Amino acid sequence: ETGVTQSPTHLIKTRGQQVTLRCSSQSGHNTVSWYQQALGQGPQFIFQYYREEENGRGNFPPRFSGLQFPNYSSELNVNALELDDSALYLCASSVPGGSYEQYFGPGTRLTVT
Amino acid sequence: EDQVTQSPEALRLQEGESSSLNCSYTVSGLRGLFWYRQDPGKGPEFLFTLYSAGEEKEKERLKATLTKKESFLHITAPKPEDSATYLCAVHVTGGGNKLTFGTGTQLKVEL
């Protein structure tokens, strides 16, 4: 069984630039959630995708957007990067309903300078 | 607003010294409480799900328990490889499928 994978592992961007992060869900999981984790904090929910549509959103501005593809993989796009966007971005996959357990990938470390 | 508070923020134990981590929650309606382990720079690793007060789950040296207001993660005779940050998260009624996390307890087990 293949777990959740994310790319790239690390990324350095300049303030004002745009970034795209990628996630492949665990085999059999059709729901993908994205979280932002600042240093020393717990993960904060950004949004979730199910059947290629956004299915819930946390307190993040519209410059955070996403996509889900027919194979359940997903992208997180962040426009107009700010210094505070520097964080570990985590993708988690799950099966809707039932246990609500979410399984996380290794994350992408984004540094904005 | 749903809140999850973990204590202590950091804990240092000697190998073999058992202890407990606390996760207290204030939510509108609990559908599930989750424990994760996170190593530095890595994604959280799923440990347990608890659904109702009185429920207990065990895995090796770890045991998780749940009451109506809090959950405990008991660590029995810990080893250095148990050193990590332990995160607690809740799934609540009307919250969609998002998890709301606490800030974690950083555990260090020394020889």
Side-chain angles (χ1 to χ4, degrees):
Chain A
E1 184 178 272
T2 305
V4 179
T5 61
Q6 292 186 244
S7 63
T9 305
H10 296 90
L11 204 52
I12 299 175
K13 289 287 189 178
T14 303
R15 189 172 55 181
Q17 285 187 317
Q18 177 265 341
V19 68
T20 298
L21 311 182
R22 295 177 175 83
C23 170
S24 291
S25 62
Q26 184 167 317
S27 176
H29 288 187
N30 57 9
T31 301
V32 173
S33 302
W34 286 93
Y35 291 80
Q36 179 195 67
Q37 187 176 25
L39 206 59
Q41 300 296 313
Q44 296 291 314
F45 176 73
I46 303 175
F47 44 54
Q48 182 182 87
Y49 277 83
Y50 171 62
R51 291 184 174 178
E52 303 177 50
E53 292 193 0
E54 190 177 288
N55 182 39
R57 189 178 185 95
N59 295 325
F60 282 82
R63 59 189 185 85
F64 286 78
S65 63
L67 285 173
Q68 186 180 32
F69 301 99
N71 66 354
Y72 309 135
S73 66
S74 178
E75 287 183 354
L76 165 65
N77 299 291
V78 187
N79 293 322
L81 284 167
E82 301 177 359
L83 297 179
D84 285 349
D85 295 333
S86 295
L88 182 67
Y89 286 85
L90 296 163
C91 167
S93 73
S94 57
V95 178
S99 66
Y100 305 103
E101 292 166 6
Q102 296 187 5
Y103 295 87
F104 286 83
T108 294
R109 171 69 63 188
L110 173 65
T111 302
V112 182
T113 62
Chain B
E1 185 179 328
D2 303 319
Q3 285 195 330
V4 179
T5 303
Q6 292 189 245
S7 62
E9 291 185 7
L11 182 62
R12 181 170 287 186
L13 299 174
Q14 296 297 309
E15 185 176 14
E17 179 186 2
S18 301
S19 188
S20 296
L21 313 182
N22 178 264
C23 170
S24 62
Y25 59 91
T26 305
V27 301
S28 51
L30 183 71
R31 302 185 81 170
L33 185 141
F34 304 84
W35 282 98
Y36 287 86
R37 168 193 171 128
Q38 186 174 29
D39 292 301
K42 303 286 182 63
E45 174 191 346
F46 173 77
L47 294 174
F48 303 109
T49 310
L50 301 166
Y51 294 106
S52 56
E55 189 174 0
E56 297 183 354
K57 294 269 181 78
E58 283 190 70
K59 179 180 180 181
E60 296 180 355
R61 295 177 293 281
L62 300 177
K63 183 168 84 171
T65 62
L66 181 65
T67 73
K68 290 186 177 179
K69 293 184 178 180
E70 59 192 348
S71 176
F72 292 93
L73 184 65
H74 307 276
I75 303 178
T76 302
K79 299 182 177 181
E81 52 263 41
D82 294 323
S83 297
T85 295
Y86 290 84
L87 294 165
C88 166
V90 296
H91 177 233
V92 301
T93 304
N97 281 326
K98 77 171 185 179
L99 298 182
T100 299
F101 282 83
T103 54
T105 293
Q106 190 172 7
L107 173 66
K108 184 165 178 62
V109 182
E110 299 173 330
L111 291 170

